[in-house]
Amino acid sequence: MFDGHSTKIKSVQWKVAGSTFLLLAFTVCSLIFLTQHQMEAAFGDYLSLHLAVMEHGAAETMFIHSVHQSLWWVGLFFILLGFIISSFIAASITRPLRRLTAAAEEVRHGHFDQRVAVTSKDEVGRLADVFNQMAAELSRSEKSQRDFFASITHELRTPLAVLQGTLENMTSGVTKPTPERLFALQEEVMRLNRLVTDLRDLSLAEVHELRLHKEPCDLGQLAAQTAMLMQPLFDEKQQKLQLNIPANLPLLQLDKDRLRQVIGNLLVNASRHTQHGSHIELTVEERPKELCLTVKDDGPGISATELPHIFDKFYQSQDTAGGSGIGLALAKQYVEIQHGRITVSSPPAGGTSFCIHLPKP
Ligand SMILES: Nc1ncnc2c1ncn2[C@@H]1O[C@H](COP(=O)(O)OP(=O)(O)O)[C@@H](O)[C@H]1O
Ligand SMILES: [Mg+2]
């Protein structure tokens, strides 16, 4: 506990000032005693050698007494001066520490916007700097957590409201539960289910707790299979999907399902975020240290201001229809937990190209 009383008694300032005072008092007193002793001895020798006087008279005794007194006054002055200086030095060390303690108390109560002024370059200044960085990090993570929950709520509320409204209309007899309507409801439930599963997997992948089922895998074959399953999507928008996949690629240890999901996400994006009749290329190439899978489209591209955010959870461009904005966040996590990386480029002339780099064994 940190109450006012213990602050006074256990304060570093008083500890430093007190111990300096004791040390100084001890040193000065020892010096005075030593000086007095030597002075008296030297004075006695002087009297007996030069003046042949063996006993001290009144004048000699007064002289010795006044020297003693002066020595004590000088000693006292230096002890007090040392105490005042050491108190100031101790206060200058502890003042920033007190400010840090107050700021840390605020952070403990959830006020993450606390910062302390860094006024020195010594250890205390470094501590203040680290504290500020820690508070900024906490503030950022709290904000992203808040945004995350707000986005989840938003993503779930709309489809749930649609489902509730439609079901209420059906139960009250306003609309008939035709097979088409029931099918649409089922689609919506499936979409919600997918979203919740994706969110769970994403949070597990973020803390490296997602179980992977790795097995030897031909990336080219996997890409071709995924593309084949998605052909109807491209046909619907009269888009052309071109495959550039060489044979005899080295096998990689991969979780096929997760990787299929990543490639699927990139292909869905290439279809969804480009116009009717666009041209999309899916390329796999072997490089000296890695295999690269590229999904390239000739759509409108992604602006330079948006590019740094597209892998963020729930990030969607203004004009996006459908989707939930977690496809790329999930793709990034799935690739990274398999020791790969995902890059994107979108030149000002248009078109976007996503590339998955997977290291060769
Ligand atoms: N091929 C692409 N062309 C243009 N923009 C894209 C492309 N792929 C992704 N994006 C942008 O990145 C955002 C995030 O993508 P994603 O996480 O898959 O979310 P969603 O597809 O659900 O919107 C999209 O909303 C879109 O703005
Ligand atoms: Mg997407």
Side-chain angles (χ1 to χ4, degrees), residues 3-16:
D3 54 58
H5 182 67
S6 56
T7 309
K8 205 89 204 129
I9 304 294
K10 292 180 185 163
S11 158
V12 171
Q13 183 181 349
W14 292 113
K15 271 188 198 164
V16 173

Side-chain angles (χ1 to χ4, degrees), residues 165-185:
T166 318
L167 285 171
E168 271 171 11
N169 284 346
M170 282 180 182
T171 46
S172 61
V174 178
T175 49
K176 278 214 175 94
T178 59
E180 294 78 31
R181 285 192 184 124
L182 287 174
F183 184 71
L185 286 182

Side-chain angles (χ1 to χ4, degrees), residues 265-266 268-274 297 299-302 306 310-312 314-329 352 354:
N265 276 345
L266 296 184
V268 170
N269 277 352
S271 168
R272 183 188 290 155
H273 302 295
T274 59
D297 65 56
I302 305 170
E306 280 186 293
I310 56 167
F311 292 104
D312 292 350
F314 294 113
Y315 180 83
Q316 289 186 288
S317 59
Q318 299 291 323
D319 48 8
T320 301
S324 56
I326 63 160
L328 285 179
T352 309
F354 283 93

Side-chain angles (χ1 to χ4, degrees), residues 233-244:
L233 191 79
F234 298 105
D235 292 344
E236 208 178 303
K237 281 180 88 174
Q238 285 108 45
Q239 290 160 328
K240 180 167 170 16
L241 175 66
Q242 183 188 327
L243 302 185
N244 309 314

